[in-house]
Every structure is written in structure tokens, then in C-alpha cells.
């Protein structure tokens, strides 16, 4: 990484040499993401997710305006060597809460790598097509209604994309060969057909909370690690056998009455959250045994099951390796009692005479 800055450029930009050098050092997506606002990253911890907001209230709406060069210059930061190595440019641009309804003036800023245009009135992102060096893009709380005609096919280096709280109803037209994280929380998406590994080979985190999905089918992403589907209307688990590397599955506040659909192909699943569903009895949990070798945390609270049975022991009999059920760790006493019950059940099975 270059640590020297042309003196004339520093003088022209009106910043001191130390500031410029500090801006350049250590510029990677991973290091910069560590400084991103916490609300941009979904926590794995049960109970900490926030309900998506439906945009600005009537009294809070910003005045609609066009993007100007002055607005752009005020939002620029993070000086860095350009991709061709021949100069320096600011690579981060913050345009959130500007009341913007178009981005036409941004198309010439081809060195941008980090762009935030959240909380505006945007419907068309096509001016971003020339920003082929973008790594990080946040378009939350706008009015984008579809991906068709949008420039994502040109953004071949884009690794992090958030379009929470827009007006999206499907994913047709979305591609992301380099995408690692995709947040589509709080839209009106009903189906997820099109999420194929060929278009999203590197995707590891997918957030679809607060949409209108009624099934998990259509997500064919073998490399996906974390899937957040809380606050939909999902009634059945389908297609999960394709998610062989999934470690986290978040299904809080849906309409599941059974866990049928969990698959032995899910060989990496460690965390499952089905809080606030409609699971009524122990029979609905039998498929937990298919992921028992890897599952370490299970959240079942706010299901009818937890009010009518000693569900913790029933769960431990199905998944003896669990370390946490709901918010409480599994105690040594619970683990011992579960093992004893398993032995009793095995003896009963042995005593049943063969027909």
C-alpha cells in the first residue's frame, strides 16, 4: 500500500500530509467495514433484530432536490491511490438524507468504492453503471421498485449491497458475481427465484427479513453461510438441502407449524431460530435429528409448544449436542436427564417383540 502523497496534490486538496497518508493506509473492504454503523450489520444474537421501518413519516420527508457538484464535494472522503496507480482520488461518498431524486451527476466519479445514498427518493440507479470500482453500496429507504434496468451487471467488484426498505417485489434482474453480503430487508418480495449459485457464487450472507415470502424455496446458494428470513409469512421449509454450508438460519416470526424440510445435507448448521412460529407439539420437531451433529443453539420461545410440554428435554433427546436452548445454556443436569431418557426409550424399543 502506498504511503506517500504528492505534495502538490496535498496542497491543492487543503489537507495535511499526515491526514492524507492516514486515509490511504490499510484501505480494504474488511477493515473499512469494521467502522460501518452497527445498524448496517445484522446480529446473530436472538432477539436483537429490529423491525424494518417503512421509510420517513409524513412530517419527516425531505425536500426533493437534484444532486449537485457542491453536494458531492461535501460528501467526499477517504483519499486513496486510484486503481490505475497514476493518481489519487476520494473513494468514499456519503449522500444519505439529501432528498435526492436522481444521481445523474455522480456518473463521472469513477473512482468511488464506498457509496451511501440511503434515505432519499431514488427510483433509478442507472447512473451508477460507470462506477465499476464500487465495493460497498447502501441504498436503504428509497423507492427502487425493481432490479431490471439497474446497473448491477456492470458492478463486477461490488461485495456488499444493502437495499432495505425499498419497493422491491422480486429479484429479477439482480446479479452479483462478487457479492458477499446482500440485504433486502423490509421490501415486498414474494418469491426468491433467481438466487442461483451461478449469479451469486460468493454470497455468504443474505437478509430477507420483513418481506412477503411464504416458502424458503428458490435459494440455490451452496456457499451461503447466514440466512435471515424473520418476519415473513413462511409456512413450509423447502429447498434447504441446497444450503450445504449454511451455519445460521433465522426464521423468527413466521407461520411454521413443523420443522419438516430440514435436511441432512445441511452439514454445517449451528444456529436455528424459529421463535414466534406455530409449532404445537414435539412431533413437529423430529427433523431436528437430521441436523443434530452440528446444531449448537436453538430458539423455540413464543411457540405453543413451550407452554404445554417439557420441551427442553424433548429437544435434547433429539439433539444431544445442543449448548443453548432459547436464551439459557443447557445445564449438566438437563443433559444427564436427557441421556437417561434416551436409554429408557432404547430399552423400550428393544423389548418390543418382532412381528
Amino acid at each position: 500500500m502506498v504511503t506517500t502523497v504528492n505534495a502538490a496534490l496535498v496542497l491543492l486538496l487543503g489537507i495535511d500530509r499526515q491526514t492524507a497518508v492516514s486515509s490511504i493506509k490499510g484501505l480494504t473492504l474488511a477493515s473499512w467495514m469494521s467502522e460501518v454503523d452497527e445498524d448496517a450489520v445484522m446480529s446473530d444474537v436472538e432477539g436483537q433484530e429490529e423491525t424494518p421501518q417503512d421509510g420517513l413519516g409524513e412530517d419527516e420527508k425531505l425536500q426533493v432536490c437534484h444532486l449537485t457538484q457542491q453536494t458531492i464535494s461535501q460528501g467526499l472522503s477517504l483519499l486513496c491511490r486510484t486503481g490505475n496507480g497514476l493518481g489519487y482520488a476520494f473513494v468514499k461518498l456519503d449522500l444519505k438524507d439529501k432528498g435526492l431524486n436522481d444521481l445523474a451527476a455522480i456518473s463521472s466519479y469513477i473512482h468511488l468504492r464506498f457509496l451511501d445514498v440511503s434515505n432519499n427518493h431514488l427510483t433509478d440507479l442507472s447512473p451508477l453503471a460507470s462506477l465499476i470500482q464500487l465495493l460497498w453500496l447502501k441504498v436503504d429507504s428509497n423507492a427502487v421498485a425493481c432490479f431490471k434496468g439497474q446497473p448491477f451487471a456492470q458492478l463486477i467488484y461490488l461485495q456488499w449491497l444493502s437495499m432495505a426498505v425499498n419497493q422491491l417485489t422480486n429479484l429479477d434482474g439482480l446479479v452479483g458475481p462478487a457479492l458477499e453480503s446482500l440485504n433486502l430487508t423490509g421490501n415486498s418480495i414474494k418469491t426468491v427465484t433467481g438466487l442461483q449459485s451461478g449469479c451469486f457464487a460468493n454470497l455468504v450472507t443474505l437478509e430477507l427479513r420483513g418481506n412477503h415470502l411464504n416458502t424458503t424455496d428458490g435459494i440455490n446458494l451452496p456457499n451461503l453461510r447466514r440466512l435471515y428470513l424473520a418476519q415473513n409469512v413462511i409456512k413450509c421449509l423447502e429447498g434447504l438441502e441446497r444450503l450445504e454450508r449454511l451455519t445460521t438460519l433465522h426464521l423468527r416470526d413466521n407461520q411454521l407449524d413443523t420443522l419438516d424440510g430440514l435436511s441432512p445435507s445441511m452439514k454445517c448448521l449451528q444456529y436455528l431460530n424459529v421463535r414466534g412460529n406455530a409449532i404445537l407439539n414435539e412431533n413437529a420437531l423430529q427433523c431436528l435429528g437430521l441436523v443434530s451433529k452440528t446444531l449448537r443453539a436453538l430458539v423455540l420461545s413464543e411457540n405453543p409448544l413451550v407452554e404445554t410440554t417439557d420441551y427442553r428435554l424433548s429437544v435434547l433427546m433429539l439433539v444431544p449436542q445442543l449448548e443453548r436452548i432459547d436464551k439459557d445454556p443447557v445445564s449438566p443436569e438437563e443433559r444427564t436427564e436427557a441421556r437417561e431418557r434416551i436409554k429408557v426409550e432404547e430399552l423400550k424399543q428393544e423389548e418390543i417383540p418382532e412381528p
Side-chain angles (χ1 to χ4, degrees):
M1 184 64 67
V2 174
T3 58
T4 59
V5 180
N6 182 280
L9 178 63
V10 170
L11 181 61
L12 178 64
L13 294 173
I15 59 177
D16 58 74
R17 182 181 298 272
Q18 183 177 0
T19 300
V21 170
S22 298
S23 298
I24 295 171
K25 284 183 177 178
L27 179 61
T28 65
L29 180 60
S31 63
W32 186 78
M33 276 294 293
S34 68
E35 299 178 3
V36 176
D37 291 342
E38 291 181 0
D39 65 355
V41 181
M42 168 68 182
S43 171
D44 284 357
V45 179
E46 180 271 327
Q48 288 190 357
E49 73 275 12
E50 297 181 358
T51 303
Q53 300 299 313
D54 294 328
L56 297 172
E58 196 65 34
D59 297 333
E60 299 173 306
K61 289 184 178 179
L62 301 174
Q63 181 179 358
V64 175
C65 59
H66 295 289
L67 181 60
T68 65
Q69 296 297 330
Q70 180 180 4
T71 302
I72 292 175
S73 64
Q74 291 171 346
L76 286 169
S77 63
L78 199 58
L79 185 67
C80 184
R81 184 179 283 275
T82 57
N84 59 17
L86 299 178
Y88 295 89
F90 289 110
V91 298
K92 180 182 175 184
L93 178 57
D94 185 348
L95 293 175
K96 63 178 179 288
D97 297 309
K98 302 298 183 183
L100 302 175
N101 64 356
D102 78 88
L103 292 173
I106 206 175
S107 59
S108 61
Y109 289 78
I110 60 174
H111 300 294
L112 287 176
R113 300 176 193 175
F114 308 102
L115 176 61
D116 188 347
V117 292
S118 300
N119 300 312
N120 287 290
H121 308 285
L122 302 171
T123 60
D124 179 22
L125 303 178
S126 60
L128 304 184
S130 60
L131 309 185
I132 61 173
Q133 295 187 34
L134 273 181
L135 301 174
W136 190 96
L137 176 60
K138 189 173 183 181
V139 197
D140 293 357
S141 299
N142 278 280
V144 180
C146 67
F147 286 109
K148 289 183 177 179
Q150 305 295 1
F152 295 103
Q154 286 76 39
L155 305 181
I156 60 174
Y157 301 115
L158 189 65
Q159 298 176 31
W160 192 96
L161 173 62
S162 182
M163 296 189 63
V165 196
N166 275 270
Q167 299 175 14
L168 300 166
T169 58
N170 59 63
L171 305 184
D172 296 346
L174 177 62
V175 294
L179 269 183
E180 297 179 5
S181 178
L182 174 61
N183 183 359
L184 299 172
T185 294
N187 281 280
S188 300
I189 299 169
K190 298 179 180 179
T191 61
V192 289
T193 53
L195 282 177
Q196 306 298 317
S197 58
C199 298
F200 301 93
N202 294 305
L203 195 63
V204 295
T205 301
L206 176 59
E207 298 191 34
L208 284 161
R209 294 176 292 127
N211 280 280
H212 299 160
L213 300 175
N214 60 19
T215 178
T216 56
D217 199 22
I219 304 175
N220 184 11
L221 299 169
N223 292 321
L224 196 67
R225 305 294 199 278
R226 294 171 289 275
L227 178 58
Y228 301 99
L229 297 171
Q231 298 168 332
N232 279 277
V233 289
I234 296 173
K235 297 179 174 64
C236 58
L237 301 179
E238 299 174 296
L240 296 181
E241 66 277 0
R242 305 185 189 101
L243 307 180
E244 298 178 358
R245 298 186 181 180
L246 197 70
T247 62
T248 298
L249 179 56
H250 203 289
L251 289 157
R252 176 178 175 176
D253 294 334
N254 278 283
Q255 300 177 16
L256 294 168
D257 58 11
T258 178
L259 297 184
D260 291 355
L262 293 178
S263 169
S265 298
M266 304 171 74
K267 299 176 182 178
C268 299
L269 189 65
Q270 299 177 19
Y271 175 89
L272 175 62
N273 189 326
V274 288
R275 175 179 175 178
N277 277 269
I279 299 171
L280 186 60
N281 55 51
E282 297 171 8
N283 292 332
L285 302 179
Q286 294 303 307
C287 281
L288 283 174
L290 300 176
V291 294
S292 62
K293 292 183 179 180
T294 58
L295 196 65
R296 294 295 179 267
L298 174 67
V299 184
L300 272 170
S301 56
E302 298 181 20
N303 278 278
L305 166 73
V306 305
E307 300 175 2
T308 58
T309 66
D310 189 2
Y311 73 101
R312 290 180 65 90
L313 285 176
S314 299
V315 167
L316 276 175
M317 292 175 67
L318 290 168
V319 193
Q321 308 302 320
L322 273 179
E323 298 172 0
R324 181 166 69 89
I325 301 174
D326 297 330
K327 294 182 179 180
D328 299 317
V330 174
S331 68
E333 294 78 13
E334 286 178 316
R335 200 176 299 282
T336 298
E337 185 174 352
R339 287 172 180 165
E340 291 175 352
R341 287 196 184 186
I342 291 173
K343 290 180 181 178
V344 171
E345 291 297 322
E346 289 174 346
L347 289 173
K348 287 182 179 179
Q349 293 296 320
E350 292 176 0
E351 294 173 358
I352 298 176
E354 294 184 5

